Amino acid sequence: MTAPAERSHAGESPSSRWGRRGTAGATIAARLDFENVSRAFDGVTAVNDVSLSVEPGEVLCLLGHSGCGKTTLLRIAAGVERQTSGRVLINEREVAGPSVFQPPERRGVGLMFQDYALFPHLTIGENVAFGLTHLGRQDARETALRALDRVGLKSYVDDYPHALSGGEQQRVALARAIAPRPGVLLMDEPFSGLDRRLRDAVRDETLSVLRETRATCMLVTHDPEEAMRMGDRIALMRKGRLVQLGSADDLYNHPVDLFAARFFSELEDLEASAGDGEVETVFGRFPASGIARGQAVDVCVRPQGILLGEPGEGIAGRVTRRRFLGEVDLVEVAVSGRDRPLQARLRDGGRFAVGMDVGVRLDPRDVLAFERERD
Ligand code: ATP
């Protein structure tokens, strides 16, 4: 069944549609720690010795390709999966360890998944009140109403989920997750079922609800843009391991390896040799900290760091193709001393025609060099 379209709210901004700020109750933010957590399934290690702390009130995005172990780590924090070894602590209290295993309902965590998981036979109000078992019926309804008000859906309290669009159902799922005021909110690809236009609005408003409720949040995503947009910090995972942890700026500008760099931008490979603290390419020498003379290196450049100018300004090249992509042009340029053309992303690419001779330079800020990994 196709979800119904969003109900019309003519003339309202997405944020005003979501109700007034300040109506969601604040929670006491909790700290979440993973200590050397591993999980194997039939001999396959899904999570491999991960140690990670999510600070109170922080939004931490777990980022990685499909199958790298993100969901498993989140499920271990929730208590719906048991680790093979290691410990999980919430507010420095062990909730999962060699001899302790608290069930999800005792951990004070809220869960939100990509499929919304609303109960179809319960009204929106009953869905949101579902986890509020510690409250009386009337208090639970009032708390649910407050949470629905915060996401702009108070008037839907007596409707059933099938009457709501995908975006609205996702907002109900958010209301349900925040209603019990969990210290930690765990979200698994919460926006992946939404179309792009809706996704941006729901993401931004979810972030403001998180800030307002001050819940600590761990959010799983495979989308680097989402991680950069949502996360105070990003934990990049590969093959069950934590590869890099830092701000979006850290991961984009100082990736620890080629894998981390490729996650955030397309890269053009360059042939290069290593000197001490630098690499040499046909485009000249570029600083490369940590690189020693004679090492095998992987060197690459971001497409926006490929600069085209007049012939004589840099290495000789010829434009072989141009594609208009809206905000930028993709300009392919053949360069002497290189087998494959380079693809430059240029804001003013319209001034380059196919067949034109150009000079090619690289912006040193976009040249990345890594010692080659053995595998
Ligand atoms: P996706 O984004 O596709 O959900 P992910 O990064 O969240 O991927 P996980 O779902 O954590 O990855 O899975 C990590 C690995 O563990 C995968 O190889 C997966 O097949 C395996 N795995 C996860 N759960 C189980 C299970 N219950 N039984 C067997 N293998 C499992």
Side-chain angles (χ1 to χ4, degrees):
M1 189 186 77
T2 320
E6 292 276 290
R7 287 186 197 179
S8 156
H9 300 264
E12 292 178 28
S13 70
S15 54
S16 64
R17 261 193 264 153
W18 276 51
R20 284 183 335 134
R21 303 253 159 98
T23 51
T27 187
I28 297 169
R31 180 187 169 89
L32 171 64
D33 290 293
F34 297 89
E35 282 183 10
N36 307 103
V37 170
S38 296
R39 175 66 164 111
F41 295 103
D42 306 324
V44 177
T45 308
V47 173
N48 195 346
D49 196 23
V50 170
S51 294
L52 176 65
S53 297
V54 192
E55 302 294 333
E58 179 179 39
V59 178
L60 183 122
C61 287
L62 277 183
L63 175 68
H65 292 304
S66 181
C68 73
K70 312 178 292 290
T71 296
T72 304
L73 194 64
L74 184 111
R75 286 167 57 83
I76 289 170
V80 292
E81 189 77 68
R82 270 176 196 254
Q83 73 280 18
T84 314
S85 59
R87 303 198 307 155
V88 180
L89 298 94
I90 294 179
N91 279 338
E92 295 173 8
R93 218 186 59 237
E94 190 170 292
V95 295
S99 54
V100 176
F101 186 81
Q102 276 194 352
E105 62 276 13
R106 292 198 42 218
R107 295 191 184 190
V109 297
L111 300 173
M112 187 169 157
F113 297 108
Q114 60 186 1
D115 60 1
Y116 325 139
L118 301 181
F119 299 115
H121 58 288
L122 299 184
T123 65
I124 298 304
E126 287 163 349
N127 263 284
V128 176
F130 189 78
L132 304 172
T133 45
H134 57 292
L135 299 179
R137 203 179 154 79
Q138 191 52 33
D139 283 350
R141 184 173 165 90
E142 275 166 24
T143 303
L145 270 172
R146 266 203 305 280
L148 279 170
D149 191 24
R150 180 58 190 88
V151 300
L153 294 176
K154 191 174 170 184
S155 61
Y156 294 46
V157 63
D158 295 320
D159 287 339
Y160 284 85
H162 67 81
L164 272 61
S165 72
E168 289 163 344
Q169 290 190 33
Q170 190 58 321
R171 285 150 61 189
V172 174
L174 177 63
R176 184 177 59 181
I178 61 168
R181 301 187 188 177
V184 177
L185 200 53
L186 302 168
M187 303 175 131
D188 192 356
E189 304 268 6
F191 314 113
S192 59
L194 306 176
D195 73 49
R196 198 193 158 109
R197 181 192 58 84
L198 206 54
R199 199 161 52 215
D200 288 349
V202 177
R203 268 181 194 153
D204 287 350
E205 276 304 325
T206 299
L207 202 53
S208 72
V209 170
L210 290 175
R211 298 281 182 233
E212 189 185 298
T213 57
R214 295 205 296 272
T216 306
C217 176
M218 192 164 86
L219 184 150
V220 161
T221 179
H222 63 270
D223 176 356
E225 193 191 317
E226 179 162 290
M228 293 173 103
R229 208 173 162 128
M230 298 289 295
D232 296 312
R233 287 188 303 159
I234 299 171
L236 182 65
M237 290 184 69
R238 174 177 33 168
K239 296 182 184 165
R241 285 191 180 275
L242 180 61
V243 176
Q244 189 168 3
L245 176 65
S247 65
D249 187 316
D250 289 335
L251 271 76
Y252 186 85
N253 288 314
H254 308 287
V256 284
D257 59 18
L258 193 57
F259 164 84
R262 280 199 201 288
F263 217 98
F264 290 92
S265 44
E266 287 177 29
L267 296 172
E268 287 280 353
D269 296 323
L270 301 173
E271 282 205 18
S273 58
D276 282 324
E278 61 175 21
V279 288
E280 181 158 5
T281 74
V282 293
F283 299 95
R285 294 175 181 206
F286 297 92
S289 64
I291 299 294
R293 183 173 299 279
Q295 269 180 344
V297 282
D298 287 312
V299 177
C300 42
V301 58
R302 297 190 185 103
Q304 63 270 32
I306 301 169
L307 311 173
L308 305 190
E310 297 296 322
E313 294 176 7
I315 295 292
R318 178 165 296 162
V319 175
T320 53
R321 205 169 168 212
R322 182 162 68 82
R323 284 287 171 89
F324 176 65
L325 297 184
E327 285 171 19
V328 292
D329 287 271
L330 204 59
V331 179
E332 226 171 67
V333 55
V335 176
S336 54
R338 203 185 138 86
D339 300 341
R340 282 184 304 112
L342 285 173
Q343 292 209 331
R345 278 179 172 268
L346 305 174
R347 281 198 155 274
D348 57 350
R351 64 197 176 96
F352 297 103
V354 173
M356 198 182 256
D357 286 325
V358 291
V360 185
R361 290 173 298 123
L362 303 184
D363 185 335
R365 290 174 301 180
D366 289 304
V367 176
L368 305 169
F370 305 99
E371 185 183 353
R372 185 165 298 159
E373 284 175 29
R374 291 212 175 78
D375 62 347

